[in-house]
Amino acid sequence: MAKVTIIGAGQTGATTAHWLAERELADLVLVDIVEGMPQGKALDLMEAMPVIGSDAKIVGSNDYQDTAGSDIVVITAGLPRKPGMSRDDLLEANTNIIRASVENSLQASPDAILIILTNPLDVMSQAAMIISGLPRERVIGQAGILDSARMRAFVAMELDISVRNIHCYVLGGHGDSMVPLTRHSNVAGVPLNVILSPERLEAIVERTRKGGGEIVGLLQTGSAFYAPSAALAQMVDAILNDRHLVVPASVNLDGEYGLSGIFFGVPAQLGANGLEKVLEYDLNDEEQAALEASAEHVKETIDELKEKLQIAA
Ligand code: APR
């Protein structure tokens, strides 16, 4: 059985383990700095397996030795922004967490593919690539599946049509500047801008952009974790099963969409070796401009990151 390590056994990490264990996709190791908590969640999940009918083994640990030989390491470890904490403080704190997670994981599993969830997503993925020195094929950030799934859910609610028929593509940075491609998104092949009025479509686009905040506002404590973890599980599945599956994901661009050297949400084909290919849409001027504006946002924070890592931009 394949082995997958999840760093950060909080809401998203533990729920990712839940989805993966249920699908019997891999043996799992949940790692956290909090003592007892990953062990407790892992044991609880193990005790659910007889009911589910899965022989996946789930181990909780505070020790990276237990993660040795992992095929994939999913990093969800991070701090949420707390009152009084600036964006910059969060960037610094989470960069340090990414550093510890990446260095320790790769020491134990030198061949692992890294999937990053920690926010700010595109920048933390960049940090993981710089810190690890890995090629771009092996460092992939999760954001686009989630943003696109939110949009698909909103379209399904609006039209009362199966989510299976609804295909939405949200590209760009993971934040307010994300770019929902309404011309390319469709319901059973009918473009969204044909099936929905401009007003309804705009409302769905806006709700998608603010999807994370909507959940935070409702939960009061913590942020979304069911949809983010389902997205992580899909990426793990695509890699472990060598599916050559195209999903929106944050990858380090190498000239695609006219952008280089930054992590950015694009359609990415995933297989056994991680990133296989970036697909390029035929974008009109307006879409390309929106993408470039989003890239500017990401670049600014990446410059701050490079300063923190003391690497020349
Ligand atoms: N090593 C391992 N685990 C760590 C470390 C570290 N250095 N630092 C923090 N953690 C753990 C915390 O102890 C916590 O259990 O990461 C976990 C994060 O879980 P939650 O706080 O429940 O956050 P979650 O909702 O799962 O979101 C995970 O995703 O949205 C992003 O950046 C955001 O930090 C958030 C991450």
Side-chain angles (χ1 to χ4, degrees):
M1 183 104 89
K3 182 168 177 177
V4 174
T5 285
I6 300 166
I7 313 293
Q11 297 278 60
T12 313
T15 315
T16 304
H18 179 181
W19 298 117
L20 292 175
E22 192 165 21
R23 293 189 207 169
E24 214 170 18
L25 258 182
D27 287 335
L28 305 168
V29 186
L30 273 170
V31 175
D32 205 284
I33 38 168
V34 178
E35 287 181 19
M37 182 269 274
Q39 291 86 345
K41 289 190 178 179
L43 182 58
D44 193 8
L45 272 170
M46 277 298 279
E47 291 166 0
M49 292 305 108
V51 185
I52 299 298
S54 162
D55 284 312
K57 311 244 174 332
I58 309 120
V59 171
S61 180
N62 309 109
D63 183 348
Y64 280 85
Q65 275 180 8
D66 292 323
T67 71
S70 295
D71 300 285
I72 298 178
V73 174
V74 179
I75 302 182
T76 75
L79 294 181
R81 192 153 144 189
K82 299 202 182 94
M85 203 178 190
S86 72
R87 217 173 110 268
D88 206 44
D89 294 338
L90 181 69
L91 181 67
E92 179 147 356
N94 279 353
T95 302
N96 290 335
I97 291 173
I98 288 287
R99 180 188 293 287
S101 305
V102 167
E103 288 178 349
N104 290 320
S105 296
L106 287 178
Q107 211 172 357
S109 307
D111 299 326
I113 291 170
L114 306 180
I115 301 178
I116 312 297
L117 179 90
T118 308
N119 274 322
L121 184 274
D122 305 288
V123 185
M124 289 301 109
S125 304
Q126 186 93 37
M129 186 166 154
I130 293 172
I131 290 162
S132 65
L134 289 178
R136 74 167 185 161
E137 288 72 21
R138 286 175 55 196
V139 185
I140 307 160
Q142 189 300 119
I145 298 179
L146 169 64
D147 296 328
S148 304
R150 284 186 172 140
M151 189 164 166
R152 292 171 68 191
F154 300 148
V155 173
M157 290 174 200
E158 175 87 15
L159 298 175
D160 200 16
I161 292 179
S162 168
V163 291
R164 290 181 171 79
N165 289 129
I166 298 169
H167 308 280
C168 294
Y169 304 96
V170 180
L171 307 189
H174 183 51
D176 294 349
S177 69
M178 68 179 74
V179 184
L181 288 185
T182 53
R183 215 164 48 93
H184 302 76
S185 301
N186 66 80
V187 178
V190 183
L192 276 196
N193 54 355
V194 171
I195 206 163
L196 286 165
S197 70
E199 297 73 34
R200 291 312 304 151
L201 187 50
E202 185 50 33
I204 286 172
V205 163
E206 257 326 278
R207 194 172 177 195
T208 302
R209 286 210 176 96
K210 306 218 162 83
E214 184 177 0
I215 305 271
V216 169
L218 290 166
L219 293 180
Q220 294 295 318
T221 53
S223 49
F225 56 97
Y226 287 116
S229 58
L232 287 172
Q234 186 178 40
M235 290 170 83
V236 170
D237 173 272
I239 294 169
L240 290 183
N241 288 311
D242 195 19
R243 290 198 192 277
H244 314 291
L245 181 76
V246 179
V247 293
S250 183
V251 302
N252 197 258
L253 294 183
D254 186 16
E256 297 92 352
Y257 295 95
L259 300 165
S260 281
I262 61 163
F263 271 79
F264 202 57
V266 292
Q269 184 178 310
L270 305 184
N273 298 319
L275 173 67
E276 296 180 330
K277 200 192 288 177
V278 171
L279 264 74
E280 292 196 68
Y281 286 108
D282 179 21
L283 298 182
N284 63 27
D285 290 349
E286 196 186 329
E287 290 156 352
Q288 182 66 29
L291 221 56
E292 282 167 18
S294 180
E296 274 312 308
H297 275 276
V298 177
K299 269 186 210 153
E300 276 168 29
T301 325
I302 284 179
D303 286 343
E304 286 171 41
L305 167 81
K306 286 184 173 167
E307 253 172 57
K308 292 204 185 308
L309 294 172
Q310 292 181 325
I311 289 170

